Amino acid sequence: MTAPKKLCVIGWPVAHSKSPVIQNAMIAALGLDYEYLCQPVCPGELAAFLDRAKAEGYAGFNATMPFKEELLPYLDGLDPLAEKLGAVNTVCIKHGKLYGYNTDCPGYVAALREAGFDPAGKRALLLGAGGAAKAVALGLAQAGAAVTIANRTAQKAAAVAALAPDIMSTTSWSPDALARAAVEADLLVNCTSLGMEGQGEFADLSFLAALPQGALVSDLIYHPAETALLRTAKAQGHPAMNGLPLLVWQAVFALRHFTGVEFDLQFAGDAAKAALAKEGFA
Ligand code: NAP
């Protein structure tokens, strides 16, 4: 009997990653011959890891902080979407060559659609302009939503908007400007780290009151499962979505890249969600 093909997640730190739980649950449910491991890689040891992964016959890996951008020069091929974002979270290894993809972008759109929200023709107000914001903004724009970006550091918001200037714009990071932009928004997405344990809280959530009735409020954070932003939005009658669906869908798309198998995406996603629920994540 041959050993299962190896996959892993790399990062520093990475022990907290839920990727092994999610991926192994999908692999088992789909009956695939892979195993998914957790590989801490220190900053400065990326090249050594890549040599080892090739030598040990890894089929691929996911990358989290701090490697999403650092990987680019090592890749033999780059998906056009990942190239535009300048970041990869999924790398496939084929015949000793590395191919990079970004699955956060389609993953977020799939999470929205699963929640019954089709971005086409909608207006989104996006808070933040870091790595996750870039992927979410581009995903929304490519799915046909007009995106307004607000970030504490204005230049970073402008850089994200430059990815699709015909459909993205910026506004300033002030309660008044946020409230003005919220009036027209069908979707509000928090892509900042505000609300995450130990990362500080929004000083002012008054902009939520300006959202139209029924606007979806989404937070990329899933720990805690319900941030103050989501709690307040729900109390005001808005539908709310935390970061778990993104976590699941980016993993579903990554597994499809790794295996090349056209499996049932929803079936795989449901298996991942069930495994997360068993660990207390919902
Ligand atoms: P990042 O690149 O470090 O960006 C952090 C963002 O938060 C920046 O826009 C930053 O603004 C803003 N920010 C940080 N502290 C702030 C403060 N005190 N006041 C106002 N803005 C502040 O991080 P990232 O990778 O994009 O991740 C952002 C969030 O998304 C994190 O909470 C992360 O856990 C979550 N995430 C979730 C998933 C998922 O699968 N659900 C995936 C990726 C990320 P400046 O530009 O002004 O510094």
Side-chain angles (χ1 to χ4, degrees):
M1 207 171 87
T2 56
K5 294 187 252 324
K6 285 200 284 190
L7 299 166
C8 68
V9 57
I10 66 165
W12 189 265
V14 74
H16 65 282
S17 172
K18 292 288 151 219
S19 290
V21 169
I22 297 176
Q23 292 288 357
N24 285 318
M26 294 193 292
I27 287 165
L30 294 165
L32 297 169
D33 193 22
Y34 288 82
E35 66 174 335
Y36 191 103
L37 309 164
C38 183
Q39 289 283 354
V41 173
C42 306
E45 290 191 1
L46 180 60
F49 164 76
L50 295 175
D51 288 344
R52 188 160 61 80
K54 288 178 194 174
E56 292 181 7
Y58 272 78
F61 59 91
N62 287 118
T64 183
M65 281 195 353
F67 298 121
K68 286 184 173 186
E69 284 107 23
E70 204 177 319
L71 271 162
L72 295 186
Y74 295 97
L75 300 176
D76 299 290
L78 187 56
D79 178 70
L81 184 63
E83 187 172 17
K84 196 164 170 76
L85 288 167
V88 294
N89 70 337
T90 300
V91 176
C92 298
I93 308 178
K94 288 187 185 131
H95 309 296
K97 297 214 181 296
L98 304 171
Y99 300 94
Y101 303 88
N102 190 305
T103 65
D104 287 333
C105 196
Y108 185 69
V109 173
L112 282 180
R113 290 197 171 125
E114 187 188 34
F117 185 97
D118 180 359
K122 303 284 191 344
R123 289 178 172 272
L125 172 57
L126 190 149
L127 312 180
K134 240 196 311 186
V136 166
L138 190 59
L140 286 170
Q142 290 191 336
V147 185
T148 303
I149 301 151
N151 190 50
R152 177 180 61 177
T153 309
Q155 306 95 285
K156 282 171 68 182
V160 176
L163 288 172
D166 50 329
I167 198 160
M168 290 196 209
S169 58
T170 63
T171 191
S172 61
W173 182 257
S174 73
D176 283 355
L178 293 181
R180 273 195 302 278
V183 167
E184 298 199 312
D186 306 292
L187 167 70
L188 179 123
V189 198
N190 176 34
C191 303
T192 75
S193 41
L194 290 174
M196 198 160 90
E197 268 170 18
Q199 298 294 311
E201 292 289 343
F202 283 93
D204 186 339
L205 286 170
S206 59
F207 57 85
L208 285 175
L211 284 171
Q213 224 184 359
L216 174 63
V217 177
S218 152
D219 200 323
L220 298 198
I221 292 167
Y222 55 85
H223 194 60
E226 190 174 81
T227 57
L229 178 92
L230 291 190
R231 201 165 45 250
T232 309
K234 276 186 184 174
Q236 295 178 3
H238 293 284
M241 179 173 98
N242 73 9
L244 278 179
L246 167 59
L247 184 69
V248 165
W249 281 102
Q250 60 78 28
V252 170
F253 289 122
L255 187 61
R256 196 169 61 174
H257 283 304
F258 291 143
T259 62
V261 176
E262 289 293 327
F263 53 75
D264 181 330
L265 302 179
Q266 189 67 57
F267 176 76
D270 289 345
K273 272 184 251 164
L276 282 170
K278 267 195 194 160
E279 298 232 327
F281 288 87

